[in-house]
Amino acid sequence: MPDQIADHSDLRADCARCFGLCCVALPFARSADFALDKPAGKPCPNLQGDHRCGIHADLRRKGFTGCTVYDCFGAGQKVSQVTFGGQDWRTASQEHARRMFDVFPVVRQLHELLWYLTEALGLPAARPVHPELRRALEKTEGLTRRTFEELAALDVAAHRQEVNVLLLRTSELVRAGAGGKSKGKGKGRGKDRRGADLMGARLRGADLRGVSLRGAYLIAADLTGADLRGADLIGADLRDADLTDADLTGAFFLTQPQVNAARGSAGTRLPASVGRPVHWAAAR
């Protein structure tokens, strides 16, 4: 299956146009992912006056791995520059800052949906539902441009469910063309493993072409050399999963945070929509 995607350029974080919202609005707890506790609405101590991270190049070594696997899908600059017209929370009133922090997670969810819808529109096999996908994308984009009051009152869960119906249909169409409905002898091929508990699973060299792994728990799974071409990976938890030499070309609904959370090598083949994490070790 050709690895064709639509343009995601407007759905990538542009920290230069954001007021460090993810470093302030979101809470985190001391854990393997974060070196300290931080409540929502309080700036991370590593956030500098110019809204840049003071330890960005050293996040993993200093205990902030969680930051390296987070992506706002461009919601930060949308909230900063569009919703609030470029007004910085540092110089605005406390009420303005609170509103900005409250609406950021809402827009982030909408931008994540825009990522999936944009990708779906770039998949030739999903052509039968392209008109509906296009309408859903236009509606979702329109929602991101609503006022603070409208965004605060938005039922995001209901909208996600509406979009998910189309994404499920997209998955069925794409996976059918990638062997998803075949009965091949490869381990796991053609199966629907939505939400499956595959934590620590030994899937080295597994044939997972066209498999639905939507929301599957693949934490610390061994996927070395696995064939994931044409697999649906939306919401799959890939934390510490070993993707060394795995083939994910044509895998869809895969995001950068998922890839960043996994382990891989120079031999790991990725779809064009995501980049190779700098922390991945080179293939030996």
Side-chain angles (χ1 to χ4, degrees):
M1 184 182 70
D3 189 16
Q4 300 182 27
I5 62 166
D7 182 14
H8 287 104
S9 58
D10 290 337
L11 300 174
R12 299 185 189 277
D14 183 352
C15 298
R17 299 177 58 221
C18 177
F19 299 131
L21 295 184
C22 64
C23 304
V24 187
L26 306 179
F28 50 74
R30 183 188 294 272
S31 62
D33 293 323
F34 296 101
L36 48 80
D37 295 316
K38 187 194 83 65
K42 180 179 179 179
C44 172
N46 298 309
L47 185 66
Q48 301 180 133
D50 61 356
H51 300 298
R52 297 301 185 94
C53 176
I55 61 169
H56 187 266
D58 233 1
L59 284 167
R60 286 181 170 269
R61 191 176 66 82
K62 290 185 176 292
F64 289 86
T65 301
C67 297
T68 69
V69 299
Y70 177 82
D71 195 313
C72 73
F73 297 100
Q77 62 259 32
K78 175 69 71 65
V79 173
S80 297
Q81 303 301 328
V82 178
T83 312
F84 289 93
Q87 188 172 6
D88 190 340
W89 58 267
R90 288 186 188 273
T91 57
S93 67
Q94 288 187 348
E95 179 63 17
H96 173 96
R98 184 190 63 77
R99 289 180 174 183
M100 183 175 280
F101 302 153
D102 286 347
V103 82
F104 171 64
V106 176
V107 178
R108 195 269 182 191
Q109 289 191 65
L110 293 173
H111 268 237
E112 183 179 10
L113 291 177
L114 288 175
W115 178 280
Y116 295 136
L117 288 166
T118 299
E119 181 165 357
L121 283 166
L123 296 169
R127 192 167 287 113
V129 290
H130 276 185
E132 294 171 88
L133 287 167
R134 194 167 291 108
R135 286 193 291 272
L137 186 144
E138 292 171 355
K139 178 180 178 179
T140 305
E141 170 61 25
L143 291 176
T144 70
R145 295 182 178 277
R146 289 190 173 183
T147 64
F148 159 75
E149 290 80 8
E150 292 171 323
L151 285 166
L154 181 65
D155 187 344
V156 184
H159 183 65
R160 289 187 72 99
Q161 183 56 40
E162 182 181 319
V163 171
N164 192 50
V165 172
L166 291 174
L167 298 181
L168 279 168
R169 180 59 181 147
T170 297
S171 178
E172 292 168 357
L173 290 167
V174 177
R175 291 189 301 110
K181 292 188 179 297
S182 70
K183 295 183 180 180
K185 296 181 180 179
K187 186 177 181 180
R189 187 174 181 186
K191 293 183 179 179
D192 186 340
R193 306 304 303 272
R194 282 183 289 179
D197 184 352
L198 297 170
M199 290 190 289
R202 297 177 180 178
L203 296 167
R204 178 180 289 259
D207 185 349
L208 298 170
R209 284 174 289 173
V211 174
S212 174
L213 291 165
R214 298 170 65 90
Y217 297 94
L218 288 158
I219 302 169
D222 183 2
L223 290 159
T224 302
D227 191 343
L228 288 148
R229 288 176 292 172
D232 180 352
L233 292 168
I234 193 169
D237 193 334
L238 295 172
R239 282 177 293 169
D240 205 34
D242 192 347
L243 297 176
T244 298
D245 297 335
D247 190 349
L248 290 88
T249 52
F252 56 101
F253 297 150
L254 177 68
T255 65
Q256 194 65 52
Q258 287 172 291
V259 176
N260 290 350
R263 292 180 288 128
S265 68
T268 305
R269 301 179 65 188
L270 295 168
S273 57
V274 296
R276 190 176 306 279
V278 296
H279 65 274
W280 279 14
R284 296 180 186 274

